[in-house]
Every structure is written in C-alpha cells, then in structure tokens.
Amino acid sequence: MRAALDAGLPAVQLREKDLGGRALLALAEQLRAATLRSGALLFVNDRVDVAIAAEADGVHLGGGSMPVAVARALLPAGALVGVSTHAVDEAAATTADFAVFGPVYATPSKAAFGPPQGLDRLRAATAASRVPVLAIGGVTAARVPEVRAAGAAGVAVIRDVLEAPDPAAATRALLAAAG
C-alpha cells in the first residue's frame, strides 16, 4: 500500500470485514498515518465508530449499512460519506457525497452482485445521480478512458493495484489514464 500511496493514490478504503473492532482500529490508525503522510483520503467501510476513532476522512456504506443520514449525524462535520450502488435508481436516490457504481465489468470481488452493469448503465447512473459517481468492478488503466467517457467522475479499484507486480506503476498508470 505504501508504494501506491507514494505514487499518488488519492484515497484508500479500509474494507476488512473479518477483523474485530480493536484490530480494525489498529489497522485504521496505521493507514491513517500513511494516508496523512501522502496526502490521501482514508475511508472506513461500514464502521462509523472506527472511522471516528481513527480520524478518517469518512466512511463508505454498503447496501446493507446504516442510512446515510444516520452516518452523517454520527460523523464529525466535514466527514465524507460514500455509498455503494448497484442500480441506476440507487445512484439517483443517494444523498451521500459520492456513489460507487458497479460492477461495471466482470470481477471476482463483485460477483455476488450479479452480472456486470456495463457502460450503458454506468452512463445512466452518472446522468441520474446528483453526486459524483465512481466506477468499480474490473476497472483497469486501459478501461479508465471509457468509464470516464461514460460520465464517471473517477474509478475505484482493488485488484489492479493490490495484485499488481508493481503497485506504484499500476497507480501511476491509473492516474495518467484518468487525466
């Protein structure tokens, strides 16, 4: 992760569903220190309490998470709230600060959410949403131009950075493709 941060990764989402609260907080604090050094944002997945305790920049809520309004009421002023969306109407209805829409392409990490949404649905989601929409799911540096052309404000990736032989190079490629 440090190599990707050093290469300019703008944000990190801590998405660790199997850790207890104490271990998750310790990891969040380590990531907070690393993201502060690099100037990146830190989001904690679902756990508003851990986001607050680690002084993260915000929280990312999944479909089964608490409502955005409840998270906002608990978070300090200025904290950001992101939300996962898997349908155009979800992206249109969100009151979060940003939405992550997908999976746009086939990817193992999002297989449980059904078949890929594709570029046409991404385009519809970005047009319907009142907030910036990030594309997720099978996004690579080569695909960034087409998701941006479909209206995505940016991308969220897992595999393209974390499984890359050179995470710094993968990060730079994604950033360059995003313009």
Side-chain angles (χ1 to χ4, degrees), residues 83 85 88 90-92 94 97-102 104 121-136 147-148 150-156:
V83 65
T85 60
V88 172
E90 292 174 358
T94 190
D97 296 300
F98 63 93
V100 178
F101 180 84
V104 177
R121 285 194 180 141
L122 172 62
R123 190 173 290 106
T126 63
S129 181
R130 296 180 301 254
V131 301
V133 175
L134 307 179
I136 193 169
V147 298
R148 297 278 290 173
V155 300

Short mmCIF file of all heavy atoms in Angstrom, two decimals, residues 83 85 88 90-92 94 97-102 104 121-136 147-148 150-156:
data_model
loop_
_atom_site.label_atom_id
_atom_site.label_comp_id
_atom_site.label_asym_id
_atom_site.label_seq_id
_atom_site.Cartn_x
_atom_site.Cartn_y
_atom_site.Cartn_z
N VAL A 83 -21.25 5.76 -0.82
CA VAL A 83 -22.19 4.65 -0.78
C VAL A 83 -22.02 3.78 -2.02
O VAL A 83 -21.75 4.28 -3.11
CB VAL A 83 -23.65 5.17 -0.67
CG1 VAL A 83 -24.07 5.96 -1.88
CG2 VAL A 83 -24.62 4.05 -0.39
N THR A 85 -23.48 1.48 -4.91
CA THR A 85 -24.74 1.36 -5.65
C THR A 85 -24.57 0.31 -6.74
O THR A 85 -23.49 0.16 -7.31
CB THR A 85 -25.17 2.71 -6.27
OG1 THR A 85 -24.16 3.15 -7.18
CG2 THR A 85 -25.40 3.76 -5.19
N VAL A 88 -29.19 1.88 -11.24
CA VAL A 88 -29.32 3.29 -11.60
C VAL A 88 -30.18 4.03 -10.58
O VAL A 88 -29.83 5.14 -10.16
CB VAL A 88 -29.91 3.44 -13.03
CG1 VAL A 88 -30.22 4.89 -13.35
CG2 VAL A 88 -28.94 2.85 -14.06
N GLU A 90 -30.58 3.46 -7.45
CA GLU A 90 -29.82 3.66 -6.21
C GLU A 90 -28.89 4.87 -6.33
O GLU A 90 -28.78 5.67 -5.41
CB GLU A 90 -29.00 2.42 -5.86
CG GLU A 90 -29.83 1.22 -5.48
CD GLU A 90 -28.98 -0.03 -5.28
OE1 GLU A 90 -27.74 0.02 -5.48
OE2 GLU A 90 -29.55 -1.07 -4.93
N ALA A 91 -28.22 4.98 -7.46
CA ALA A 91 -27.32 6.12 -7.69
C ALA A 91 -28.12 7.42 -7.73
O ALA A 91 -27.68 8.44 -7.20
CB ALA A 91 -26.54 5.93 -8.99
N ALA A 92 -29.31 7.38 -8.31
CA ALA A 92 -30.14 8.57 -8.42
C ALA A 92 -30.68 9.01 -7.06
O ALA A 92 -30.84 10.21 -6.81
CB ALA A 92 -31.31 8.32 -9.37
N THR A 94 -29.32 8.48 -3.96
CA THR A 94 -28.41 8.66 -2.83
C THR A 94 -28.26 10.11 -2.40
O THR A 94 -28.28 11.02 -3.22
CB THR A 94 -27.02 8.05 -3.11
OG1 THR A 94 -26.28 8.06 -1.87
CG2 THR A 94 -26.25 8.84 -4.15
N ASP A 97 -22.13 11.80 -0.34
CA ASP A 97 -21.26 12.75 -1.03
C ASP A 97 -20.80 12.22 -2.37
O ASP A 97 -20.47 13.00 -3.27
CB ASP A 97 -20.05 13.09 -0.17
CG ASP A 97 -20.47 13.81 1.10
OD1 ASP A 97 -21.07 14.89 1.00
OD2 ASP A 97 -20.22 13.27 2.19
N PHE A 98 -20.73 10.90 -2.49
CA PHE A 98 -20.38 10.27 -3.75
C PHE A 98 -20.92 8.85 -3.75
O PHE A 98 -21.22 8.27 -2.71
CB PHE A 98 -18.86 10.26 -3.99
CG PHE A 98 -18.07 9.47 -2.98
CD1 PHE A 98 -17.77 8.13 -3.21
CD2 PHE A 98 -17.63 10.06 -1.81
CE1 PHE A 98 -17.04 7.40 -2.27
CE2 PHE A 98 -16.90 9.35 -0.87
CZ PHE A 98 -16.61 8.01 -1.10
N ALA A 99 -21.08 8.31 -4.96
CA ALA A 99 -21.57 6.95 -5.12
C ALA A 99 -20.52 6.15 -5.88
O ALA A 99 -19.83 6.69 -6.76
CB ALA A 99 -22.88 6.93 -5.89
N VAL A 100 -20.40 4.88 -5.53
CA VAL A 100 -19.54 3.96 -6.26
C VAL A 100 -20.49 2.98 -6.95
O VAL A 100 -21.30 2.32 -6.30
CB VAL A 100 -18.56 3.24 -5.32
CG1 VAL A 100 -17.71 2.25 -6.09
CG2 VAL A 100 -17.70 4.25 -4.59
N PHE A 101 -20.44 2.93 -8.28
CA PHE A 101 -21.39 2.16 -9.07
C PHE A 101 -20.70 0.98 -9.75
O PHE A 101 -19.66 1.14 -10.39
CB PHE A 101 -22.03 3.05 -10.14
CG PHE A 101 -23.01 2.33 -11.01
CD1 PHE A 101 -24.32 2.18 -10.60
CD2 PHE A 101 -22.64 1.81 -12.23
CE1 PHE A 101 -25.24 1.51 -11.39
CE2 PHE A 101 -23.55 1.14 -13.04
CZ PHE A 101 -24.85 0.99 -12.62
N GLY A 102 -21.32 -0.18 -9.63
CA GLY A 102 -20.77 -1.34 -10.32
C GLY A 102 -21.40 -2.63 -9.85
O GLY A 102 -22.41 -2.62 -9.14
N VAL A 104 -18.96 -2.59 -13.06
CA VAL A 104 -19.10 -2.20 -14.46
C VAL A 104 -18.68 -3.36 -15.35
O VAL A 104 -19.35 -3.66 -16.34
CB VAL A 104 -18.28 -0.93 -14.76
CG1 VAL A 104 -18.36 -0.58 -16.24
CG2 VAL A 104 -18.76 0.23 -13.91
N ARG A 121 -25.31 1.27 -18.45
CA ARG A 121 -25.91 1.52 -17.13
C ARG A 121 -25.07 2.50 -16.32
O ARG A 121 -25.62 3.30 -15.56
CB ARG A 121 -26.09 0.21 -16.37
CG ARG A 121 -27.26 -0.59 -16.90
CD ARG A 121 -27.65 -1.68 -15.95
NE ARG A 121 -28.75 -2.42 -16.49
CZ ARG A 121 -28.88 -3.73 -16.40
NH1 ARG A 121 -27.96 -4.44 -15.78
NH2 ARG A 121 -29.92 -4.33 -16.92
N LEU A 122 -23.75 2.44 -16.47
CA LEU A 122 -22.90 3.43 -15.81
C LEU A 122 -23.27 4.83 -16.31
O LEU A 122 -23.42 5.77 -15.52
CB LEU A 122 -21.42 3.15 -16.06
CG LEU A 122 -20.45 4.23 -15.57
CD1 LEU A 122 -20.53 4.40 -14.06
CD2 LEU A 122 -19.02 3.87 -16.01
N ARG A 123 -23.42 4.96 -17.61
CA ARG A 123 -23.80 6.25 -18.21
C ARG A 123 -25.14 6.73 -17.65
O ARG A 123 -25.29 7.91 -17.28
CB ARG A 123 -23.87 6.12 -19.73
CG ARG A 123 -24.01 7.42 -20.48
CD ARG A 123 -23.91 7.24 -21.99
NE ARG A 123 -22.54 6.87 -22.37
CZ ARG A 123 -22.14 5.65 -22.75
NH1 ARG A 123 -23.00 4.65 -22.82
NH2 ARG A 123 -20.89 5.42 -23.07
N ALA A 124 -26.09 5.82 -17.53
CA ALA A 124 -27.40 6.18 -16.98
C ALA A 124 -27.29 6.57 -15.51
O ALA A 124 -27.95 7.52 -15.06
CB ALA A 124 -28.38 5.02 -17.15
N ALA A 125 -26.47 5.86 -14.76
CA ALA A 125 -26.29 6.17 -13.33
C ALA A 125 -25.65 7.54 -13.14
O ALA A 125 -26.07 8.32 -12.28
CB ALA A 125 -25.45 5.09 -12.65
N THR A 126 -24.64 7.84 -13.94
CA THR A 126 -23.98 9.15 -13.80
C THR A 126 -24.92 10.28 -14.21
O THR A 126 -24.89 11.35 -13.61
CB THR A 126 -22.67 9.22 -14.61
OG1 THR A 126 -22.94 9.07 -15.99
CG2 THR A 126 -21.68 8.16 -14.15
N ALA A 127 -25.76 10.03 -15.19
CA ALA A 127 -26.71 11.05 -15.63
C ALA A 127 -27.81 11.27 -14.58
O ALA A 127 -28.27 12.40 -14.39
CB ALA A 127 -27.34 10.66 -16.96
N ALA A 128 -28.20 10.22 -13.90
CA ALA A 128 -29.29 10.31 -12.92
C ALA A 128 -28.85 10.79 -11.55
O ALA A 128 -29.65 11.33 -10.79
CB ALA A 128 -29.95 8.93 -12.78
N SER A 129 -27.59 10.63 -11.24
CA SER A 129 -27.10 10.95 -9.89
C SER A 129 -26.84 12.44 -9.71
O SER A 129 -26.37 13.12 -10.62
CB SER A 129 -25.81 10.18 -9.62
OG SER A 129 -25.33 10.47 -8.33
N ARG A 130 -27.12 12.91 -8.50
CA ARG A 130 -26.84 14.30 -8.15
C ARG A 130 -25.44 14.45 -7.56
O ARG A 130 -25.01 15.55 -7.26
CB ARG A 130 -27.87 14.79 -7.13
CG ARG A 130 -29.29 14.82 -7.66
CD ARG A 130 -30.24 15.30 -6.58
NE ARG A 130 -30.18 14.44 -5.41
CZ ARG A 130 -31.11 13.56 -5.05
NH1 ARG A 130 -32.20 13.45 -5.75
NH2 ARG A 130 -30.98 12.83 -3.97
N VAL A 131 -24.75 13.33 -7.37
CA VAL A 131 -23.42 13.35 -6.76
C VAL A 131 -22.43 12.66 -7.70
O VAL A 131 -22.83 11.91 -8.60
CB VAL A 131 -23.42 12.65 -5.37
CG1 VAL A 131 -24.40 13.34 -4.42
CG2 VAL A 131 -23.74 11.16 -5.50
N PRO A 132 -21.14 12.89 -7.52
CA PRO A 132 -20.16 12.21 -8.36
C PRO A 132 -20.27 10.69 -8.23
O PRO A 132 -20.51 10.17 -7.14
CB PRO A 132 -18.81 12.70 -7.82
CG PRO A 132 -19.12 13.97 -7.11
CD PRO A 132 -20.51 13.81 -6.57
N VAL A 133 -20.11 10.01 -9.34
CA VAL A 133 -20.18 8.55 -9.38
C VAL A 133 -18.83 8.00 -9.81
O VAL A 133 -18.27 8.43 -10.83
CB VAL A 133 -21.27 8.08 -10.37
CG1 VAL A 133 -21.27 6.56 -10.51
CG2 VAL A 133 -22.66 8.58 -9.92
N LEU A 134 -18.31 7.07 -9.02
CA LEU A 134 -17.07 6.38 -9.36
C LEU A 134 -17.41 5.00 -9.90
O LEU A 134 -18.32 4.35 -9.40
CB LEU A 134 -16.18 6.22 -8.12
CG LEU A 134 -15.87 7.48 -7.32
CD1 LEU A 134 -15.01 7.13 -6.12
CD2 LEU A 134 -15.20 8.51 -8.18
N ALA A 135 -16.69 4.56 -10.92
CA ALA A 135 -16.89 3.23 -11.49
C ALA A 135 -16.03 2.23 -10.74
O ALA A 135 -14.87 2.49 -10.42
CB ALA A 135 -16.52 3.24 -12.97
N ILE A 136 -16.59 1.04 -10.46
CA ILE A 136 -15.85 -0.03 -9.80
C ILE A 136 -16.19 -1.35 -10.47
O ILE A 136 -17.24 -1.50 -11.08
CB ILE A 136 -16.19 -0.09 -8.28
CG1 ILE A 136 -15.19 -0.98 -7.55
CG2 ILE A 136 -17.62 -0.55 -8.06
CD1 ILE A 136 -15.28 -0.90 -6.04
N VAL A 147 -14.76 4.53 -19.06
CA VAL A 147 -15.67 4.80 -17.95
C VAL A 147 -15.77 6.31 -17.70
O VAL A 147 -16.83 6.80 -17.34
CB VAL A 147 -15.33 4.03 -16.66
CG1 VAL A 147 -15.41 2.52 -16.89
CG2 VAL A 147 -14.00 4.42 -16.06
N ARG A 148 -14.68 7.03 -17.92
CA ARG A 148 -14.73 8.49 -17.80
C ARG A 148 -15.63 9.06 -18.91
O ARG A 148 -16.41 9.98 -18.65
CB ARG A 148 -13.33 9.09 -17.87
CG ARG A 148 -12.43 8.64 -16.72
CD ARG A 148 -12.64 9.41 -15.49
NE ARG A 148 -12.12 10.75 -15.73
CZ ARG A 148 -12.27 11.74 -14.89
NH1 ARG A 148 -12.88 11.56 -13.77
NH2 ARG A 148 -11.79 12.92 -15.16
N ALA A 150 -18.13 7.66 -20.12
CA ALA A 150 -19.50 7.32 -19.73
C ALA A 150 -19.98 8.20 -18.58
O ALA A 150 -21.10 8.03 -18.10
CB ALA A 150 -19.59 5.85 -19.35
N GLY A 151 -19.14 9.11 -18.11
CA GLY A 151 -19.57 10.06 -17.10
C GLY A 151 -19.02 9.83 -15.70
O GLY A 151 -19.29 10.62 -14.80
N ALA A 152 -18.26 8.76 -15.50
CA ALA A 152 -17.71 8.50 -14.18
C ALA A 152 -16.76 9.62 -13.77
O ALA A 152 -15.91 10.05 -14.55
CB ALA A 152 -16.98 7.16 -14.15
N ALA A 153 -16.91 10.08 -12.54
CA ALA A 153 -16.03 11.13 -12.01
C ALA A 153 -14.65 10.57 -11.69
O ALA A 153 -13.69 11.33 -11.58
CB ALA A 153 -16.66 11.73 -10.76
N GLY A 154 -14.57 9.28 -11.55
CA GLY A 154 -13.31 8.60 -11.23
C GLY A 154 -13.54 7.11 -11.14
O GLY A 154 -14.61 6.62 -11.54
N VAL A 155 -12.55 6.42 -10.62
CA VAL A 155 -12.65 4.98 -10.52
C VAL A 155 -12.23 4.52 -9.13
O VAL A 155 -11.49 5.21 -8.43
CB VAL A 155 -11.79 4.25 -11.58
CG1 VAL A 155 -12.24 4.63 -12.98
CG2 VAL A 155 -10.31 4.53 -11.39
N ALA A 156 -12.70 3.35 -8.75
CA ALA A 156 -12.27 2.67 -7.53
C ALA A 156 -11.79 1.29 -7.96
O ALA A 156 -12.47 0.61 -8.73
CB ALA A 156 -13.43 2.55 -6.54
#
